Each structure stands twice: as C-alpha cells, then as structure tokens.
Amino acid sequence: MFSLILGKSDCSTTPESESSLCSGSSYGNPAPSLNSTQLWSPEQCVKNIEDLFDSDKTIHSCYLCSKKGCTNTCTKSKFQHAWLSAKNWWLLYIENEGMYCIVCKKHNMKHPNNQRETFSGTPSVRFKVDALNTHSKCKLHSAAIESEMLQEVSYFHQEVTKKREVESSVLQMVFSSAYFLMKEFIANKKLLPLLDFMQKTCNVEALRYFNHRSARCQMEIFSTIGQTVKKEIIKKAQKAQAFGLMTDEATDISVTENLVTYIQFYCQDTGKVETFFLHVKMY
C-alpha cells in the first residue's frame, strides 16, 4: 500500500470540490479518463475485494453480484444497483456505509491538502451518477489506475532484469551439467531431465530462465564442450617434448565405420604420462 499525492481539491466531498479536481484551473486541461481501461479480470476483481474489504459486510460489485445473481440492495438507499456495470468495474457498494473505488482503496489514495480518503479510506455517500462520473475522471483515480498499470509493467521488467542477471550463471550450470554427463558416459538425452530435476528438487529456480532446450541447441552445447576440451588437450600436448597417437577403426551398430584417435604424452601439469581421447571421424 502507498499513497499518491496529486491534485489540489478533494475528489468526493461536494460537487464543487469534485469538479475542481477534475477540471480545476490550477491544473489546466482535465486529466484523461482511464475508466475504459479495465485492469483486472473478474477473478482478479473478486480477489482484490476479498483482500481489501471485510467479508462480514454486505458488499455489492459488478462481478460479485453477477456471480450471486444479486440485482438489488437489501436496505433502503439512494444507491442504484444498476450503477454496478462493466463501465464502473471499479465501483463497490457496502450497505449502510457507502461507495468505494477498489483501485483507489488498494493504493490508499489521499487528497494532498486535507488528507481525505473519500472513495478509498472512507466511503462516498453522494449517491448520484454525477459523483461516479466525476470520480472516474478525477486525477486521483487516474493516478491509481496508472500506478496499478506500472506495477503490472514492473513485474515483467523485473523478470527481464533477473533473467539478464542470472544468464551467465545459468549457462555455467547447464554446461557443467552437460560436461558431467559426458565425463560419466551418460547418454546426452539425459541433459533435460537432469536440468528439470535440479530445478524442481534442488530448488535451482534460475534454470527456468534457460530456454535453449531444442535438440539442435543441445548438440551445440555438447559440441562446444568437446571442442573446448580438445583445445585444452592440444595445448598440453604442445608443451610435451613428444607424444604418440593411437588410431583404431570400429564399426557401430548402424554399420558405420568410425576412426577413433587417442593421444598419449607426458603431462607437465600432473607429472604423469596421460592418455586422452582426441578425435572421432565417421566414414
């Protein structure tokens, strides 16, 4: 909840004050009406009403009443149930209290001068169509809608920003997982199940931002790792005074001939004679 301070006159006490906030000379042109912009779905409207208002009270709103089949109030009042239309989706009426604006209530809109909270903290009891039209066009109501729209936009902005922040770490996790499969002689097709397991079971939420899951992308990952490992092996072999190659030809289950090559040399890093897989070529 937060309070936005806009305007100069109260938007709900008297016709004069409502008119001044909507078209007062201190502000030039009237604020454009955002009443036609319905921010929430019916389910979201109902959810916000449940969060903002006491369920023990008798509440009327466009979507609550349409769901319950309510067409009239239980108490005598000047409030007209027909005002609860899709046009006034933001309007809410509580019997024996008055009218509220759901959006202004959510954002705790207050007047900058007298701190009045009509239509938000306190109900409006001006049961006239003019009062509804004036409120829907006033700057406080427009500011509340704009704030709600900014919140929706900010969520997507946060998602994009977070995705950029974890992009490098996500790629590192994916390539490390792929390297583990290669080193342990596990089938390449187990990469995606392994990533899903890490995300759901190990709570690695950042992996949900990894979208390169196609077969082609997976082959590029394994190919990149293979080329990188091969370059590292060649660098080590170049430091040795001598090296030996062992080549053999093998036929796989598809009767495809493969020329497999291994390299052996004295590795200065480990101080031992090491043998590494170097290359395979299919004919």
Side-chain angles (χ1 to χ4, degrees), residues 32 36 39 67 91 106 109 127 145-146 164 168 200-201 204 213 270:
S36 59
L39 301 177
K67 184 178 180 180
L91 179 62
K106 181 178 180 180
M109 303 303 292
F127 300 120
I145 292 183
E146 289 175 358
R164 291 176 179 174
S168 298
K200 297 176 182 179
T201 306
V204 187
R213 297 173 179 260
T270 61

Side-chain angles (χ1 to χ4, degrees), residues 68-102:
K68 298 178 181 179
C70 176
T71 58
N72 204 348
T73 58
C74 298
T75 59
K76 292 183 179 181
S77 172
K78 294 182 180 180
F79 179 81
Q80 301 295 319
H81 199 277
W83 295 343
L84 299 172
S85 61
K87 176 184 177 182
N88 297 326
W89 58 271
W90 48 267
L91 179 62
L92 178 140
Y93 173 69
I94 298 180
E95 293 190 10
N96 300 320
E97 288 191 23
M99 301 181 296
Y100 289 91
C101 173
I102 307 173

